[in-house]
Amino acid sequence: MNLSRRTVLGATLGVAAVAATTACSAKPGGGGGGAAPAADEIKLGLNYELSGDVATYGQASAVGIKMAIEELNAKDGVGGKKIKLVEYDNKSDAAEATTLANKLMSQDKVLACMGPATSGGFKATIPVANKNKIPVVSGSATADDVTWDGKSVQEYAFRICFNDSFQGTVMAKFAAENLKGKTAVIIKDNSNDYSKGLATAFTEEFGKLGGSIAGEEAFVAGDTDFNTILTRIKGQTFDVIYLPGYYSEAGLIIKQARDLGITAPVLGGDGFDSPKLEELGGAAALNDVYFTNHYSSIDKDPKVVEFIEAFKKANNEEPNAFHALGYDLGHFVADAVSRASELTGEAVQKAMAETKGFVGVTGTFDVDEHHNPVKSIVVIGLKDGKQATSEKVG
């Protein structure tokens, strides 16, 4: 099948219903890809957080990827070859992700690997990718230094999501320009590079726009009682709270803040995007809450609407951003494979680096010289815990 970058979405969504009957052969979390691929198949690896602390991200990404691959296999696959996914659970552990990357590349002989979902896990696999000359691609690893450390590019690492600096910068502009905020309090996870990176970018941009940081508080992943830090900031004067963290702590912080009578808007990053946020925070607390994201389920773009309808039909649930990123990731890798001069890791890497005008549900993008996508961001507003507003920026 000749995959056109500009038509792949429309060409594949129409077969979603049929796709459900052509599932990949790998067992969830079980792997079992064997040795060299058969002549009529292309092996791709899934190295995801299917259990452990951030399983919700990995599980959703894997569901999106499988939907994309099932759609492709329901047609002609890629170049007449069916795609076989070899899937492993890295248990949300970076060391396990490294071990599985080695296994996927040296034993299972995959042509490219997708995942992990988080920056720490993904970065742990990059040395393995560079050594074996097999591309690794993440749909959601947002740390600034994932593919480029400021000096050199990680040759075999790519991602299809924006980076943390962009998230922090956009949210600072949203706070200053849309919410007319002049002062902010930052509550960040001091044990997490993602949280610290977003906080740094927000602080720098907010200052450039004339804003000031009235206070800064910190917690560590796994904390559940935030009343001490919230009581401290309750006595301060500020317009917004910037809370760059994962849903697991953010939901509790927002609930406890509202219980203390703190009504200021709460702003965050894509770590908010999980059904668990509402479960932990409660719908009543999740008002005047905004976060940057890759995709919004209320976006009226025809491509997004088409994806949502197909996803719901195939999976019987509403897709979130990680589903959408996983779906785009599956098509992005398949597209590169279809354009590669030969079925080798080197050729697929070259095709990925040359990607122009890829059309996905999370945006249309080129891959830049640092192996990052050039794409827009979405700011989502919540009302009673549900998405109520969506604005594309960038």
Side-chain angles (χ1 to χ4, degrees):
M1 179 181 180
N2 181 24
L3 292 174
S4 165
R5 292 191 298 278
R6 297 186 183 279
T7 59
V8 62
L9 178 64
T12 55
L13 282 175
V15 297
V18 178
T21 64
T22 58
C24 306
S25 57
K27 297 285 193 294
D40 61 347
E41 70 180 18
I42 294 168
K43 278 188 177 181
L44 300 176
L46 266 71
N47 185 349
Y48 271 101
E49 300 89 336
L50 303 179
S51 63
D53 293 342
V54 292
T56 184
Y57 301 144
Q59 291 168 357
S61 300
V63 168
I65 291 169
K66 289 176 185 177
M67 177 178 166
I69 300 307
E70 287 167 359
E71 288 178 359
L72 292 167
N73 281 342
K75 304 288 283 188
D76 297 324
V78 175
K81 295 176 181 288
K82 300 294 185 183
I83 297 173
K84 180 178 181 179
L85 295 176
V86 184
E87 178 185 8
Y88 292 116
D89 175 13
N90 63 41
K91 304 173 184 174
S92 301
D93 180 81
E96 182 70 8
T98 303
T99 298
L100 294 177
N102 267 307
K103 187 175 184 180
L104 284 163
M105 295 176 196
S106 62
Q107 294 184 28
D108 296 317
K109 306 295 183 184
V110 299
L111 193 57
C113 286
M114 292 175 272
T118 58
S119 297
F122 184 63
K123 286 194 285 188
T125 70
I126 294 174
V128 183
N130 290 335
K131 178 182 176 182
N132 289 279
K133 297 186 176 181
I134 297 293
V136 289
V137 195
S138 178
S140 51
T142 56
D144 286 356
D145 61 352
V146 162
T147 59
W148 184 61
D149 62 5
K151 296 179 180 177
S152 60
V153 176
Q154 297 287 358
E155 188 176 5
Y156 280 83
F158 296 82
R159 63 177 159 194
I160 64 164
C161 57
F162 47 71
N163 63 14
D164 290 342
S165 292
F166 190 41
Q167 287 200 75
T169 298
V170 167
M171 195 47 93
K173 289 181 178 176
F174 184 82
E177 297 173 0
N178 294 59
L179 301 180
K180 309 302 180 188
K182 300 294 185 186
T183 55
V185 164
I186 291 176
I187 304 175
K188 66 182 179 183
D189 180 351
N190 248 352
S191 65
N192 188 303
D193 289 342
Y194 161 80
S195 183
K196 292 186 287 188
L198 264 68
T200 298
F202 179 92
T203 299
E204 291 177 356
E205 185 66 20
F206 199 54
K208 291 177 184 176
L209 296 170
S212 62
I213 304 301
E216 188 165 325
E217 299 287 346
F219 62 93
V220 296
D223 285 354
T224 58
D225 184 350
F226 304 94
N227 280 288
T228 299
I229 62 175
L230 292 171
T231 299
R232 270 200 300 272
I233 71 169
K234 186 181 178 183
Q236 302 175 29
T237 300
F238 56 88
D239 298 318
V240 300
I241 297 172
Y242 188 50
L243 172 55
Y246 292 138
Y247 63 88
S248 45
E249 287 80 26
L252 295 174
I253 290 172
I254 295 170
K255 182 180 189 307
Q256 292 170 26
R258 298 308 192 220
D259 286 346
L260 286 172
I262 299 172
T263 59
V266 179
L267 319 178
D270 59 332
F272 279 24
D273 189 40
S274 168
K276 294 285 187 181
L277 183 76
E278 183 178 353
E279 183 179 313
L280 293 167
L286 296 176
N287 286 294
D288 231 359
V289 173
Y290 303 88
F291 63 97
T292 44
N293 207 8
H294 312 265
Y295 148 93
S296 169
S297 61
I298 61 173
D299 192 330
K300 298 305 179 187
D301 184 309
K303 291 188 289 297
V304 177
V305 172
E306 192 175 11
F307 163 73
I308 291 171
E309 291 176 353
F311 187 93
K312 290 166 66 177
K313 191 171 184 179
N315 298 284
N316 198 32
E317 64 174 318
E318 291 276 351
N320 61 32
F322 286 86
H323 291 130
L325 287 166
Y327 180 82
D328 279 355
L329 180 56
H331 278 297
F332 172 80
V333 172
D335 173 61
V337 171
S338 76
R339 291 183 289 107
S341 59
E342 58 183 358
L343 294 180
T344 63
E346 293 100 318
V348 173
Q349 185 274 352
K350 185 173 185 294
M352 286 182 181
E354 294 174 347
T355 298
K356 300 290 183 187
F358 177 86
V359 179
V361 296
T362 63
T364 298
F365 64 84
D366 298 345
V367 171
D368 71 10
E369 69 273 22
H370 300 144
H371 294 182
N372 294 319
V374 181
K375 66 193 298 190
S376 61
I377 197 169
V378 177
V379 177
I380 292 171
L382 299 182
K383 183 177 181 181
D384 295 329
K386 308 298 184 188
Q387 294 189 23
T389 60
S390 169
E391 180 179 352
K392 286 186 178 178
V393 180

